[in-house]
Amino acid sequence: MFGRIYVYKLKEMLRNKYVVGWNIFFPLVLATVFYFGFGNLISDDPDNFKTIDVGYVNTNLEETNFGILLEEMSKVSDDHTKIVEVHEYSSKDEATDAMNSEMISGFYVEDGDDISTYVLTNGYKATTLNEIVREYKNMYSVIEKVAQEHPENLQTAIDMVSNQMEIMKEHDFGTNTSPYLQYFFALIAMSSLFSSWISIAMLEGMCANMTETGKRFEVAPTNKLLAIAGCVMAGLTIQSVSNAVLVVYVQYILKINMGAPFINLVLITTLGSALGISAGVLIGSFIKNERLLIAVPLVFTMGCSFCSGLMWHQIRQIIESNCPILNRINPAALLVDCLYTRATYGKTDMYYQDIMIMGCMVVGGLFVSSLFLRRRKYASI
């Protein structure tokens, strides 16, 4: 029963041009407008860390630990950035020519146990390249000294170094978060709240005083709880997929780095979709006027989106300074704050607080809606 209702409702809503247009295509169009409006301010932000092109000359003719380190650092991290892009050269002269041609910012020459760093100009790139070698030598010397003096503690020393690297990786503070990125986060929040319209469309087929389909639903000998759950899951599926497509479009097509792992972004936006669905069900459960069922979700969505920074990115900070409680009850502001915190500071207490509040809103909204919807009576149908 649940599966059949889920599939039928999914097909029904996908045939609804209003839902497909506003919930799937409109956010993509608006994301494109944002990109052409100020996308370059994000990609060209001087505060953003940019991958360093570095050359590597290994005269040892065999794989070394330093070479393995560079290989690991050239891999894409969780926030879709990498520290260095390694270009291997066969000789120092070849690497020098590449550096003089500005193909690389500097290069390493590894000869035996000696590692030399060559850079063209001073700056953060030169400092970063020097720090990589310095940290490598420090860790290598610690392990080598322990191996000579206390070989029984060698494994402990290796574990300590590994744990240090894991801690640094775990507390990645997001190197590519621009203040203009909040506009894209607010766009995702608005898209999530658009799912309230899916809920309204869903309720029209469930309420006897709205449509003929609603009359048949009310008198059908089916489990109403399973039927409603199937409809809610169908709406959640559509909006979650829509948000996932939006994230893919922004991050991989427009090349706007959102500063967090893709799976993490999808999970957060799915929670946002559930928040929009529950808000729509709550609105539709106590509003019966057909015009209000269109106007109220629209005002709710755009009002929350404005306060989350969709039109002016500083409004959320102003509200936080003067009336922070509004940001705690605004679902769009919570979603933006959750995404921004994850991208900038990682999984902090504020990140989990936003998750918890949104989860409570979803559960609370559906619970209150069930009280309004259960045992409905009609004077005349």
Side-chain angles (χ1 to χ4, degrees), residues 50-176:
K50 296 179 176 60
T51 302
I52 302 173
D53 287 288
V54 61
Y56 176 54
V57 180
N58 182 13
T59 62
N60 295 324
L61 302 179
E62 62 181 9
E63 190 175 45
T64 63
N65 292 328
F66 185 68
I68 296 174
L69 173 65
L70 291 179
E71 183 181 348
E72 288 296 319
M73 296 182 71
S74 66
K75 293 181 179 179
V76 178
S77 63
D78 285 345
D79 63 348
H80 298 277
T81 60
K82 48 185 176 182
I83 300 175
V84 296
E85 182 72 50
V86 180
H87 306 268
E88 295 189 12
Y89 299 99
S90 58
S91 66
K92 179 181 175 180
D93 292 338
E94 185 182 355
T96 302
D97 291 339
M99 183 176 66
N100 291 333
S101 301
E102 297 186 354
M103 296 173 59
I104 56 177
S105 301
F107 63 91
Y108 298 116
V109 176
E110 186 172 11
D111 186 9
D113 293 334
D114 183 56
I115 303 174
S116 302
T117 307
Y118 298 87
V119 294
L120 188 63
T121 58
N122 292 326
Y124 83 91
K125 292 183 179 181
T127 302
T128 302
L129 296 180
N130 284 319
E131 282 298 312
I132 291 173
V133 176
R134 189 179 70 85
E135 287 297 322
Y136 171 76
K137 289 182 176 180
N138 286 342
M139 293 182 182
Y140 184 83
S141 62
V142 168
I143 293 176
E144 187 178 39
K145 186 175 181 179
V146 171
Q148 292 175 355
E149 299 179 3
H150 302 282
E152 69 279 4
N153 295 329
L154 179 59
Q155 187 59 47
T156 303
I158 294 175
D159 292 340
M160 288 179 62
V161 172
S162 300
N163 289 337
Q164 181 181 356
M165 297 302 293
E166 286 297 323
I167 290 173
M168 292 173 62
K169 182 177 181 181
E170 179 181 352
H171 295 279
D172 182 4
F173 288 96
T175 55
N176 282 304

Side-chain angles (χ1 to χ4, degrees), residues 63 72 110 129 214 218 241 248 251 256 271 293-294 302:
E63 190 175 45
E72 288 296 319
E110 186 172 11
L129 296 180
E218 290 284 8
V241 171
V248 169
Q251 185 148 284
I256 299 295
L271 178 59
L293 281 175
I294 297 176
M302 300 314 298

Side-chain angles (χ1 to χ4, degrees), residues 19-20 89 148 158-159 188 193 195 203 230 250 258 319 348:
V19 170
V20 172
Y89 299 99
Q148 292 175 355
I158 294 175
D159 292 340
I188 292 175
L193 293 186
S195 59
L203 287 173
V250 171
M258 304 190 75
I319 294 175
T348 63

